[in-house]
Amino acid sequence: MAREKKRHVGRREFLKGVAAGAGALTSASTLAGASALTANAAPPPRPMALPPAVEGDPPPATGAEVLTVDRTGSDFMVDCIKALGIEYVCAVAGSSFRALHESVINYGGNKNPEFITCCHEEVSVAMGHGYFKIEGKPLCMFAHGTVGLQHASMALYNAYCDRVPVYMLIGNNVDATTRSPVYGEWAHSVQDAAAMVREYTKWDDQPLSLQHFAESSVRAYKIAMTPPMAPVLLVADSELQENPIREGTKLSIPKPTVPAAPQGDFGAVREAARMLVQAENPLIVVDRTVRTQAGIDQLVELAETLQAAVIDINGRMNFPTRHPLNQSNRRGAVVANADLILGLEALDLWSVVNAFHDQVRRSSRPLTKPGTKLISISAGDLYTKSNYQEFNRFTEVDMAIAADAEATLPSLIEETKRQITPERKRAFQDRGAKLAAAHNAALEAARNEGAYGWDASPISTARVSAELWAQIKDEDWSVVSILHHFSWWPIRLWAFDKPYQYIGRQGGGGIGYNAPATVGAALANRKYGRLSVSIQDDGDLLFAPTALWTAAHHRIPLLSVMHNNRAYHEEMMHVQRMADRHQRGIDRAGIGCMFTDPNMDFAKLAQSMGVYAEGPIDNPKDLGPALRRAIAVVKRGEPALVDVLTQPR
Ligand SMILES: Cc1ncc(C[n+]2csc(CCOP(=O)(O)OP(=O)(O)O)c2C)c(N)n1
Ligand SMILES: [Mg+2]
């Protein structure tokens, strides 16, 4: 309000109730059923007293001063956010969006969206990343001009690489003549705010009017949610936020409609089905393929129709881990045996069909037999940028269908069924029986391998997985963390069959994702009453530990089981590799990688932020009871952390 003091605008000029009509949020696909909200939320509470002077304020100008306004641009911006059905805003407070902040909590009633307090912008964005992968719709992040977006940027990059629609709003003061010299507004203002993250956002805009804002907010949502999905960014100009809405201004919010995902060309799908039916040993490779239970069911239907092997690279939960056709535990054998490989949103098909050797001279060799054909169905072919290289090595394929794989599954299944002859069906049955036997043998081998070092201290990662599984297997559980640092034990041993039971990796491989993303995913799981479970690496937690406080403050139930190997272990293995290569011995490889002398106390860290915590636990026999106590806390609706001293992997 201080900035209103010099503006000689009479109260009569303010509009008391802008007619802003928002349509119901409609969607052809994933968003059906999202709440419809109108732009006219509850009337804003009227300020009862003038705000206190802020230290350093310039002396008031003489003449008519404007100290209060009834309805501002930021109120209308909140109407726009509400119209999108957005449930939460994650943010670190920042004065470049102070009006928006106030409008969310007062005008908007702090509900849909509710303000979630974060202590680092990386936390805000990663929370949105995790939340989307459970809920299938974005939450909103506010960030403070230059500095907030700079902190948010790595998390934004992770979301971009993971093709997750993060919806960002940042404050900025474009008009240099209205920038306050007092609040650091010059350092926090920028000519082209989105420039620094444009390489890893799908779209951005800096609206100049409120109507422009309304249209761009809906356009941003639509672009973000159309596969391939990706983050978007809107710059909410501070003046536009804080200025009153003038009487007579006609504003409307367009109906937000998300387009149906692109399906594969029918002729190409028919040819792909023909190749699949004719193949002797077809292999289906899935990675970031499935978003819904229907997608999992269709993938199962396709695999069963063909009795084809499936390997899951685990970019998402795609295919039930205990399904007899799941051959992920014997990837090498099925790739070598395949005469046709179908990649469904397989992000790095090259690495599926080639072995890469990280030696002094880097080399590779094919893993497939000569003549093996490759088909790819991927929305990745619809969208690629230049600078960041997350698109992986170019894969030579025999047929590429540029389309969303999940949306293409129904027509592919239909065509496959249509082309199957009784003779092919008999061959499929034999193939299926062999694959089922191989699946069982591989599962047994994984169980035997997991028993190795069962009573070891620090505790083996397989033992931690088994103890955890024993406690959660009868609950409605959801693993919200990464699992590759844990030797994939849960995926190898547990029965996953629902889309929310595993949500994939960081995308861009940026450490500092896991702790906040798990809190965001747990926030989404809360209303379904699911038990959110995270395997939390120590190094990752140290990047963004305040995510724990956000979970405690907002009563977000989440069980975090520490994979405390007291190291950046992955990096330590790299240093060991270099030491080996240089023939200097690996005994000093812990320097720069290990967190010992002194050891960190993660239970105390969590407790200091109001989170129930136990540990460090180094005796495997103590683990089960500790997990049981922590789960009881989580079931009460709070976060809990069990610090476990683990083997490195
Ligand atoms: C932002 C960022 N900085 C550095 C790295 C390099 N890096 C890759 S793995 C890793 C170690 C992570 O340690 P932790 O989370 O404890 O997992 P661990 O390897 O010990 O299982 C690091 C630092 C990265 N990926 N991202
Ligand atoms: Mg570690």
Side-chain angles (χ1 to χ4, degrees):
M1 288 190 190
R3 70 176 56 212
E4 273 302 308
K5 285 177 180 172
K6 288 184 182 165
R7 220 170 273 131
H8 300 267
V9 185
R11 219 173 226 293
R12 67 186 182 286
E13 287 183 67
F14 305 151
L15 181 71
K16 295 229 164 75
V18 176
L25 183 66
T26 56
S27 159
S29 54
T30 51
L31 281 170
S35 56
L37 294 156
T38 60
N40 288 322
R46 292 289 302 275
M48 299 306 290
L50 295 181
V54 177
E55 196 183 354
D57 263 2
T62 52
E65 274 190 89
V66 177
L67 296 173
T68 64
V69 295
D70 285 343
R71 186 136 192 237
T72 56
S74 57
D75 287 355
F76 178 69
M77 291 175 183
V78 170
D79 289 337
C80 294
I81 297 169
K82 282 179 176 288
L84 298 171
I86 287 174
E87 291 180 300
Y88 300 101
V89 168
C90 290
V92 176
S95 58
S96 59
F97 62 86
R98 61 187 184 173
L100 254 175
H101 184 154
E102 193 275 337
S103 290
V104 166
I105 59 176
N106 283 329
Y107 171 74
N110 202 27
K111 193 162 179 13
N112 297 323
E114 177 188 345
F115 200 102
I116 303 289
T117 313
C118 296
C119 305
H120 195 299
E121 287 82 358
E122 197 167 287
V123 171
S124 314
V125 177
M127 276 188 71
H129 189 166
Y131 173 91
F132 174 83
K133 289 198 279 184
I134 291 292
E135 191 61 15
K137 69 179 190 184
L139 52 68
C140 187
M141 270 73 55
F142 292 167
H144 185 36
T146 51
V147 286
L149 189 57
Q150 282 158 357
H151 260 186
S153 64
M154 188 216 71
L156 208 52
Y157 181 64
N158 268 339
Y160 167 79
C161 294
D162 206 16
R163 295 297 184 264
V164 164
V166 161
Y167 197 93
M168 285 224 51
L169 261 177
I170 68 162
N172 185 32
N173 198 338
V174 183
D175 183 350
T177 64
T178 65
R179 284 179 201 150
S180 160
V182 181
Y183 309 124
E185 280 178 12
W186 280 86
H188 298 158
S189 297
V190 53
Q191 200 187 96
D192 180 3
M196 66 175 138
V197 296
R198 189 163 289 134
E199 297 273 11
Y200 41 94
T201 42
K202 201 174 172 191
W203 192 73
D204 67 83
D205 197 17
Q206 181 163 286
L208 287 182
S209 68
L210 290 178
Q211 187 55 39
H212 184 174
F213 184 91
E215 290 171 25
S216 288
S217 65
V218 174
R219 191 193 300 271
Y221 193 89
K222 182 177 176 178
I223 291 171
M225 291 292 286
T226 304
M229 302 180 195
V232 289
L233 183 137
L234 281 185
V235 183
D237 179 56
S238 306
E239 290 288 305
L240 199 62
Q241 292 176 49
E242 297 190 17
N243 282 347
I245 301 171
R246 283 173 197 283
E247 198 166 338
T249 308
K250 289 258 184 301
L251 294 171
S252 64
I253 304 170
K255 185 162 62 181
T257 308
V258 175
Q263 293 185 27
D265 167 78
F266 183 67
V269 168
R270 174 176 286 176
E271 175 59 10
R274 190 193 65 76
M275 290 166 76
L276 283 166
V277 170
Q278 294 308 320
E280 284 315 309
N281 291 301
L283 167 61
I284 301 170
V285 178
V286 287
D287 191 355
R288 196 168 52 214
T289 313
V290 163
R291 295 180 290 269
T292 62
Q293 186 65 49
I296 293 182
D297 296 345
Q298 284 157 7
L299 200 50
V300 168
E301 192 179 347
L302 178 68
E304 288 181 353
T305 302
L306 289 160
Q307 291 296 308
V310 177
I311 59 173
D312 197 338
I313 312 294
N314 301 312
R316 298 286 186 273
M317 167 54 213
N318 299 298
F319 195 73
T321 51
R322 294 279 180 86
H323 192 286
L325 294 170
N326 191 325
Q327 306 291 310
S328 306
N329 278 348
R330 49 188 298 272
R331 180 168 157 176
V334 284
V335 170
N337 196 34
D339 58 345
L340 175 67
I341 297 178
L342 169 67
L344 298 173
E345 306 292 352
L347 311 176
D348 188 5
L349 206 47
W350 188 90
S351 292
V352 174
V353 296
N354 290 284
F356 181 80
H357 306 287
D358 176 13
Q359 300 299 354
V360 177
R361 262 188 217 90
R362 292 181 161 200
S363 62
S364 59
R365 68 178 168 83
L367 294 171
T368 47
K369 54 190 183 195
T372 298
K373 297 247 181 299
L374 262 64
I375 303 173
S376 159
I377 304 180
S378 174
D381 285 338
L382 297 169
Y383 175 73
T384 314
K385 294 209 183 191
S386 309
N387 194 19
Y388 289 90
Q389 302 281 303
E390 91 312 331
F391 38 72
N392 296 307
R393 183 98 181 248
F394 188 82
T395 318
E396 205 178 321
V397 297
D398 297 276
M399 182 195 286
I401 302 179
D404 182 68
E406 186 178 88
T408 307
L409 277 172
S411 57
L412 183 60
I413 293 167
E414 200 182 314
E415 256 315 291
T416 304
K417 284 185 172 165
R418 209 182 57 77
Q419 296 193 32
I420 293 174
T421 59
E423 185 199 333
R424 290 309 295 147
K425 205 167 187 169
R426 276 193 297 280
F428 293 177
Q429 272 155 6
D430 292 348
R431 185 162 75 203
K434 283 188 194 130
L435 287 170
H439 167 91
N440 289 339
L443 180 61
E444 208 39 46
R447 284 183 179 137
N448 288 337
E449 203 185 315
Y452 184 78
W454 190 249
D455 294 318
S457 176
I459 307 175
S460 82
T461 51
R463 174 84 187 254
V464 177
S465 301
E467 296 285 348
L468 186 54
W469 180 235
Q471 301 289 331
I472 67 165
K473 66 181 186 332
D474 298 325
E475 309 283 347
D476 188 17
W477 53 273
S478 166
V479 172
V480 287
S481 61
I482 64 168
L483 290 174
H484 56 287
H485 288 181
F486 220 53
S487 297
W488 291 113
W489 279 117
I491 295 279
R492 291 162 75 185
L493 298 177
W494 303 1
F496 288 75
D497 57 10
K498 299 188 177 67
Y500 57 81
Q501 285 176 336
Y502 173 66
I503 62 170
R505 303 176 288 259
Q506 306 98 323
I511 300 295
Y513 156 94
N514 199 74
T518 57
V519 174
L523 176 64
N525 272 331
R526 184 171 65 182
K527 66 172 173 284
Y528 305 109
R530 294 178 193 141
L531 176 62
S532 297
V533 178
S534 164
I535 305 287
Q536 178 58 57
D537 293 321
D538 52 346
D540 177 276
L541 182 59
L542 294 168
F543 274 67
T546 60
L548 293 173
W549 178 85
T550 296
H553 179 68
H554 291 282
R555 312 286 185 275
I556 300 172
L558 167 67
L559 173 67
S560 298
V561 180
M562 293 291 302
H563 173 211
N564 183 2
N565 53 20
R566 291 185 171 152
Y568 292 136
H569 185 75
E570 185 168 315
E571 294 308 316
M572 195 155 98
M573 291 191 289
H574 281 295
V575 178
Q576 286 171 343
R577 180 180 281 266
M578 291 301 103
D580 258 349
R581 189 179 287 180
H582 305 158
Q583 301 174 77
R584 293 170 186 149
I586 62 165
D587 51 317
R588 288 159 62 81
I591 297 174
C593 292
M594 289 190 72
F595 311 132
T596 49
D597 189 21
N599 294 328
M600 294 192 210
D601 190 332
F602 289 99
K604 276 195 183 138
L605 175 77
Q607 285 158 0
S608 78
M609 297 196 196
V611 173
Y612 175 91
E614 294 194 28
I617 292 170
D618 59 0
N619 183 342
K621 292 197 174 64
D622 296 337
L623 187 53
L627 290 172
R628 200 171 309 123
R629 289 188 292 272
I631 288 170
V633 172
V634 176
K635 284 186 167 176
R636 286 203 311 258
E638 293 169 37
L641 179 143
V642 178
D643 182 17
V644 188
L645 289 187
T646 49
Q647 296 289 331
R649 273 288 190 270

PDB file of all heavy atoms in Angstrom, residues 601-615:
ATOM      1  N   ASP A 601      23.678 -35.994  12.590  1.00  0.00           N
ATOM      2  CA  ASP A 601      22.570 -36.627  13.307  1.00  0.00           C
ATOM      3  C   ASP A 601      21.257 -36.200  12.641  1.00  0.00           C
ATOM      4  O   ASP A 601      20.704 -35.133  12.931  1.00  0.00           O
ATOM      5  CB  ASP A 601      22.619 -36.204  14.781  1.00  0.00           C
ATOM      6  CG  ASP A 601      21.650 -37.024  15.626  1.00  0.00           C
ATOM      7  OD1 ASP A 601      20.633 -37.486  15.062  1.00  0.00           O
ATOM      8  OD2 ASP A 601      21.924 -37.195  16.830  1.00  0.00           O
ATOM      9  N   PHE A 602      20.792 -37.039  11.739  1.00  0.00           N
ATOM     10  CA  PHE A 602      19.598 -36.672  10.968  1.00  0.00           C
ATOM     11  C   PHE A 602      18.328 -36.708  11.810  1.00  0.00           C
ATOM     12  O   PHE A 602      17.372 -35.992  11.525  1.00  0.00           O
ATOM     13  CB  PHE A 602      19.476 -37.567   9.730  1.00  0.00           C
ATOM     14  CG  PHE A 602      20.522 -37.264   8.697  1.00  0.00           C
ATOM     15  CD1 PHE A 602      21.672 -38.037   8.595  1.00  0.00           C
ATOM     16  CD2 PHE A 602      20.380 -36.182   7.844  1.00  0.00           C
ATOM     17  CE1 PHE A 602      22.651 -37.738   7.655  1.00  0.00           C
ATOM     18  CE2 PHE A 602      21.349 -35.872   6.907  1.00  0.00           C
ATOM     19  CZ  PHE A 602      22.497 -36.655   6.809  1.00  0.00           C
ATOM     20  N   ALA A 603      18.304 -37.548  12.845  1.00  0.00           N
ATOM     21  CA  ALA A 603      17.124 -37.564  13.714  1.00  0.00           C
ATOM     22  C   ALA A 603      17.001 -36.221  14.428  1.00  0.00           C
ATOM     23  O   ALA A 603      15.922 -35.636  14.496  1.00  0.00           O
ATOM     24  CB  ALA A 603      17.226 -38.711  14.714  1.00  0.00           C
ATOM     25  N   LYS A 604      18.136 -35.717  14.914  1.00  0.00           N
ATOM     26  CA  LYS A 604      18.099 -34.411  15.593  1.00  0.00           C
ATOM     27  C   LYS A 604      17.724 -33.308  14.612  1.00  0.00           C
ATOM     28  O   LYS A 604      16.996 -32.379  14.956  1.00  0.00           O
ATOM     29  CB  LYS A 604      19.459 -34.099  16.218  1.00  0.00           C
ATOM     30  CG  LYS A 604      19.637 -34.729  17.581  1.00  0.00           C
ATOM     31  CD  LYS A 604      20.818 -34.105  18.312  1.00  0.00           C
ATOM     32  CE  LYS A 604      21.027 -34.799  19.649  1.00  0.00           C
ATOM     33  NZ  LYS A 604      22.421 -35.047  19.924  1.00  0.00           N
ATOM     34  N   LEU A 605      18.250 -33.397  13.406  1.00  0.00           N
ATOM     35  CA  LEU A 605      17.906 -32.397  12.378  1.00  0.00           C
ATOM     36  C   LEU A 605      16.393 -32.363  12.178  1.00  0.00           C
ATOM     37  O   LEU A 605      15.767 -31.300  12.183  1.00  0.00           O
ATOM     38  CB  LEU A 605      18.605 -32.747  11.056  1.00  0.00           C
ATOM     39  CG  LEU A 605      18.259 -31.866   9.854  1.00  0.00           C
ATOM     40  CD1 LEU A 605      18.979 -30.535   9.927  1.00  0.00           C
ATOM     41  CD2 LEU A 605      18.616 -32.565   8.549  1.00  0.00           C
ATOM     42  N   ALA A 606      15.810 -33.546  12.021  1.00  0.00           N
ATOM     43  CA  ALA A 606      14.359 -33.628  11.795  1.00  0.00           C
ATOM     44  C   ALA A 606      13.604 -33.143  13.021  1.00  0.00           C
ATOM     45  O   ALA A 606      12.640 -32.371  12.910  1.00  0.00           O
ATOM     46  CB  ALA A 606      13.978 -35.066  11.449  1.00  0.00           C
ATOM     47  N   GLN A 607      14.057 -33.583  14.204  1.00  0.00           N
ATOM     48  CA  GLN A 607      13.366 -33.173  15.438  1.00  0.00           C
ATOM     49  C   GLN A 607      13.391 -31.655  15.597  1.00  0.00           C
ATOM     50  O   GLN A 607      12.425 -31.050  16.048  1.00  0.00           O
ATOM     51  CB  GLN A 607      14.025 -33.834  16.655  1.00  0.00           C
ATOM     52  CG  GLN A 607      13.682 -35.317  16.789  1.00  0.00           C
ATOM     53  CD  GLN A 607      14.700 -36.088  17.624  1.00  0.00           C
ATOM     54  OE1 GLN A 607      15.682 -35.519  18.115  1.00  0.00           O
ATOM     55  NE2 GLN A 607      14.489 -37.382  17.773  1.00  0.00           N
ATOM     56  N   SER A 608      14.499 -31.036  15.192  1.00  0.00           N
ATOM     57  CA  SER A 608      14.610 -29.578  15.345  1.00  0.00           C
ATOM     58  C   SER A 608      13.577 -28.856  14.496  1.00  0.00           C
ATOM     59  O   SER A 608      13.292 -27.685  14.714  1.00  0.00           O
ATOM     60  CB  SER A 608      16.019 -29.107  14.970  1.00  0.00           C
ATOM     61  OG  SER A 608      16.161 -29.067  13.559  1.00  0.00           O
ATOM     62  N   MET A 609      13.040 -29.556  13.502  1.00  0.00           N
ATOM     63  CA  MET A 609      12.021 -28.936  12.647  1.00  0.00           C
ATOM     64  C   MET A 609      10.621 -29.453  12.980  1.00  0.00           C
ATOM     65  O   MET A 609       9.689 -29.314  12.188  1.00  0.00           O
ATOM     66  CB  MET A 609      12.350 -29.221  11.186  1.00  0.00           C
ATOM     67  CG  MET A 609      13.674 -28.607  10.800  1.00  0.00           C
ATOM     68  SD  MET A 609      13.884 -28.530   9.052  1.00  0.00           S
ATOM     69  CE  MET A 609      15.640 -28.238   8.962  1.00  0.00           C
ATOM     70  N   GLY A 610      10.497 -30.094  14.118  1.00  0.00           N
ATOM     71  CA  GLY A 610       9.172 -30.535  14.571  1.00  0.00           C
ATOM     72  C   GLY A 610       8.732 -31.856  13.986  1.00  0.00           C
ATOM     73  O   GLY A 610       7.544 -32.186  14.011  1.00  0.00           O
ATOM     74  N   VAL A 611       9.692 -32.638  13.463  1.00  0.00           N
ATOM     75  CA  VAL A 611       9.340 -33.927  12.858  1.00  0.00           C
ATOM     76  C   VAL A 611       9.704 -35.049  13.825  1.00  0.00           C
ATOM     77  O   VAL A 611      10.820 -35.070  14.371  1.00  0.00           O
ATOM     78  CB  VAL A 611      10.097 -34.109  11.516  1.00  0.00           C
ATOM     79  CG1 VAL A 611       9.884 -35.504  10.944  1.00  0.00           C
ATOM     80  CG2 VAL A 611       9.654 -33.050  10.508  1.00  0.00           C
ATOM     81  N   TYR A 612       8.798 -36.000  14.031  1.00  0.00           N
ATOM     82  CA  TYR A 612       9.112 -37.178  14.847  1.00  0.00           C
ATOM     83  C   TYR A 612      10.257 -37.930  14.183  1.00  0.00           C
ATOM     84  O   TYR A 612      10.225 -38.191  12.978  1.00  0.00           O
ATOM     85  CB  TYR A 612       7.882 -38.091  14.937  1.00  0.00           C
ATOM     86  CG  TYR A 612       8.169 -39.386  15.659  1.00  0.00           C
ATOM     87  CD1 TYR A 612       7.992 -39.491  17.033  1.00  0.00           C
ATOM     88  CD2 TYR A 612       8.650 -40.496  14.964  1.00  0.00           C
ATOM     89  CE1 TYR A 612       8.275 -40.675  17.703  1.00  0.00           C
ATOM     90  CE2 TYR A 612       8.941 -41.685  15.624  1.00  0.00           C
ATOM     91  CZ  TYR A 612       8.750 -41.767  16.993  1.00  0.00           C
ATOM     92  OH  TYR A 612       9.048 -42.938  17.644  1.00  0.00           O
ATOM     93  N   ALA A 613      11.276 -38.295  14.949  1.00  0.00           N
ATOM     94  CA  ALA A 613      12.410 -38.983  14.330  1.00  0.00           C
ATOM     95  C   ALA A 613      13.071 -39.932  15.311  1.00  0.00           C
ATOM     96  O   ALA A 613      13.086 -39.697  16.525  1.00  0.00           O
ATOM     97  CB  ALA A 613      13.422 -37.970  13.822  1.00  0.00           C
ATOM     98  N   GLU A 614      13.624 -41.008  14.752  1.00  0.00           N
ATOM     99  CA  GLU A 614      14.409 -41.971  15.521  1.00  0.00           C
ATOM    100  C   GLU A 614      15.704 -42.261  14.772  1.00  0.00           C
ATOM    101  O   GLU A 614      15.773 -42.131  13.562  1.00  0.00           O
ATOM    102  CB  GLU A 614      13.648 -43.292  15.681  1.00  0.00           C
ATOM    103  CG  GLU A 614      12.401 -43.197  16.508  1.00  0.00           C
ATOM    104  CD  GLU A 614      11.881 -44.575  16.913  1.00  0.00           C
ATOM    105  OE1 GLU A 614      12.680 -45.531  17.028  1.00  0.00           O
ATOM    106  OE2 GLU A 614      10.664 -44.684  17.104  1.00  0.00           O
ATOM    107  N   GLY A 615      16.694 -42.722  15.519  1.00  0.00           N
ATOM    108  CA  GLY A 615      17.927 -43.152  14.886  1.00  0.00           C
ATOM    109  C   GLY A 615      19.126 -42.377  15.382  1.00  0.00           C
ATOM    110  O   GLY A 615      18.970 -41.516  16.252  1.00  0.00           O
TER     111      GLY A 615
END
